[in-house]
């Protein structure tokens, strides 16, 4: 009897979290006005049919319908309409096809990351210059976009592939396996990647490794603490509810806001000690 009472509540919770994750992905994609047809012409809308178990189901198979989310029951018809329109549109279908195809997946993730992360730095600059009225530094936006294209997307593309290869996903989201993967992501991968971000921008901006070393000594730990506040729950949602093909996109959706903080931190005026 206990199981019969608790199971529906658990399913409702899963539905809610999955709806939240997919809505965030769709909203960020719409905001950046990304069209896969402009990225890789001729990709078409044909889907790559792969059947390698639940862990590698096409992302469209993971898109919830009204019955799965229970939207009809709770009256959230607007959300269902948004999800349905996005899932059925040619652009979204083409984008999913590119993510499913091993020959185009990495390039698609890289260009998407460049657009989203470049937009994040542009937003950060609007915050910085809201009083001065200075123009947006296009070169700085380009550096962050380049970071997304050359480092953020490839790093996470291969990391998630390796993580799922070493520890396959489980059908149920709330498992010890999921928690283990979140721990590896946030307490092993995240510190390394965050440090790499500081080094990357110190080098690409010509500030040198000594500047990067100083930033790592003074800024890395506070940045990681803020990172965990944001990315521990986001990583759980990502690893528990989304297929591998959509994980980098979801991460970039969250990273848009994180880049605003990172950009303000990395580009903060140096102190006398740093100079």
């Amino acid at each position: 009897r206990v199981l019969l009472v608790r199971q529906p509540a658990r399913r409702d919770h899963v539905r809610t979290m999955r709806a939240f994750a997919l809505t965030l992905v769709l909203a960020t994609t719409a905001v950046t006005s990304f069209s896969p047809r402009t990225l890789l012409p001729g990709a078409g809308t044909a889907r790559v049919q792969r059947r390698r178990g639940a862990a590698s189901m096409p992302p469209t198979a993971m898109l919830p319908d009204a019955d799965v989310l229970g939207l009809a029951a709770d009256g959230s018809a607007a959300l269902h309409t948004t999800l349905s329109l996005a899932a059925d549109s040619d652009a979204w279908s083409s984008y999913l096809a590119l993510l499913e195809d091993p020959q185009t997946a990495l390039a698609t993730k890289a260009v998407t990351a460049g657009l989203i992360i470049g937009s994040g730095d542009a937003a950060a600059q609007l915050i910085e210059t809201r009083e001065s009225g200075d123009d947006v530094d296009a070169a700085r936006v380009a550096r962050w976009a380049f970071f997304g294209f050359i480092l953020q997307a490839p790093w996470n593309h291969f990391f998630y592939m390796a993580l799922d290869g070493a520890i396959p996903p489980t059908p149920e989201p709330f498992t010890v396996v999921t928690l283990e993967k979140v721990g590896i992501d946030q307490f092993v991968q995240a510190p390394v990647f965050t440090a790499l971000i500081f080094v990357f921008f110190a080098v690409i901006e010509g500030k040198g490794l000594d500047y990067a070393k100083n930033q790592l000594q003074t800024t890395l730990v506070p940045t990681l603490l803020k990172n965990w506040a944001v990315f521990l729950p986001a990583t759980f949602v990502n690893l528990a509810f989304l297929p591998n093909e959509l994980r980098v996109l979801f991460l970039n959706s969250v990273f848009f806001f994180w880049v605003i903080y990172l950009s303000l931190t990395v580009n903060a005026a140096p102190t006398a000690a740093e100079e």
Side-chain angles (χ1 to χ4, degrees):
R1 292 181 180 176
V2 174
L3 290 175
L4 289 176
V5 171
R6 291 182 178 178
Q7 189 64 23
R10 179 187 234 184
R11 285 198 298 268
D12 290 341
H13 188 62
V14 171
R15 293 166 185 165
T16 301
M17 296 297 288
R18 186 169 291 167
F20 164 77
L22 288 167
T23 302
L24 181 57
V25 168
L26 296 171
T28 306
T29 305
V31 168
T32 56
S33 300
F34 175 73
S35 174
R37 286 180 174 175
T38 62
L39 165 64
L40 294 174
T45 58
R47 297 207 170 277
V48 178
Q49 297 298 329
R50 293 180 289 123
R51 293 293 182 269
R52 297 196 304 244
S56 57
M57 289 173 62
T60 46
M62 300 293 290
L63 287 174
D65 55 23
D67 293 333
V68 174
L69 287 176
L71 295 174
D74 64 15
S76 302
L79 176 58
H80 176 243
T81 300
T82 301
L83 289 170
S84 298
L85 289 174
D88 293 338
S89 68
D90 288 342
W92 181 246
S93 297
S94 298
Y95 184 75
L96 291 180
L98 294 174
L99 289 177
E100 293 165 23
D101 188 343
Q103 295 182 344
T104 57
L106 180 56
T108 304
K109 293 173 185 178
V111 173
T112 306
L115 290 171
I116 293 176
I117 291 176
S119 299
D121 178 70
Q125 291 194 51
L126 291 176
I127 295 173
E128 287 178 319
T129 61
R130 64 183 181 276
E131 295 182 358
S132 66
D134 293 338
D135 293 332
V136 171
D137 184 350
R140 186 176 127 182
V141 173
R143 287 194 295 270
W144 277 95
F146 180 68
F147 158 77
F149 178 84
I150 204 70
L151 186 59
Q152 160 83 354
W155 176 284
N156 287 287
H157 171 78
F158 290 112
F159 171 74
Y160 285 132
M161 288 181 61
L163 186 63
D164 278 354
I167 309 174
T170 56
E172 283 291 320
F174 300 99
T175 64
V176 174
V177 169
T178 301
L179 294 178
E180 181 183 3
K181 292 171 76 171
V182 171
I184 293 172
D185 184 298
Q186 286 301 293
F187 298 110
V188 177
Q189 182 270 153
V192 175
F193 188 63
T194 303
L196 188 58
I197 292 174
F198 285 111
V199 174
F200 177 88
F201 281 100
V203 171
I204 200 174
E205 293 174 355
K207 296 176 180 177
L209 293 178
D210 288 340
Y211 181 86
K213 181 180 179 181
N214 182 275
Q215 273 206 317
L216 292 175
Q217 291 173 341
T218 60
T219 311
L220 180 60
V221 172
T223 301
L224 283 174
L225 293 176
K226 292 181 175 68
N227 169 87
W228 290 326
V230 174
F231 281 97
L232 274 172
T235 299
F236 176 80
V237 171
N238 203 5
L239 293 175
F241 296 98
L242 293 178
N244 189 287
E245 292 89 345
L246 287 178
R247 285 184 187 157
V248 175
L249 177 60
F250 178 82
L251 179 67
N252 289 333
S253 302
V254 181
F255 214 81
F256 171 86
F257 302 98
W258 181 242
V259 163
I260 296 175
Y261 169 77
L262 278 183
S263 183
L264 295 173
T265 301
V266 169
N267 293 281
T271 62
E274 290 172 339
E275 293 174 344

